[in-house]
Amino acid sequence: MLAAENAISGNIATVGYGLAVLGPGIGLGILIGKTVEGIARQPEVAGQLRTTMFIGVAFVEVLGLLGLITGFLFT
């Protein structure tokens, strides 16, 4: 009976990490897409937009890593 409980908790942790990655994945898509759109509209501010995008990408990636770390901590 104990082995079945461990298998269920492992599967739930996997699903939880999948859901934790879903948010940052959507966030990265929106962030990069809007940056490319902004650069296409105003090419003269490409450097500023790119710098701001990389800062945003770093913050969004931290969310994905937090999901990974909490998955390891609670298993």
Side-chain angles (χ1 to χ4, degrees), residues 17-68:
Y17 178 63
L19 292 174
V21 173
L22 188 64
I26 293 170
L28 283 173
I30 292 171
L31 177 68
I32 294 170
K34 292 295 182 177
T35 302
V36 170
E37 182 181 334
I39 291 172
R41 290 178 185 261
Q42 290 185 332
E44 64 272 6
V45 294
Q48 292 173 345
L49 287 174
R50 193 176 301 119
T51 302
T52 305
M53 180 194 71
F54 284 133
I55 292 171
V57 165
F59 284 127
V60 171
E61 284 296 325
V62 165
L63 292 175
L65 290 174
L66 266 165
L68 177 66

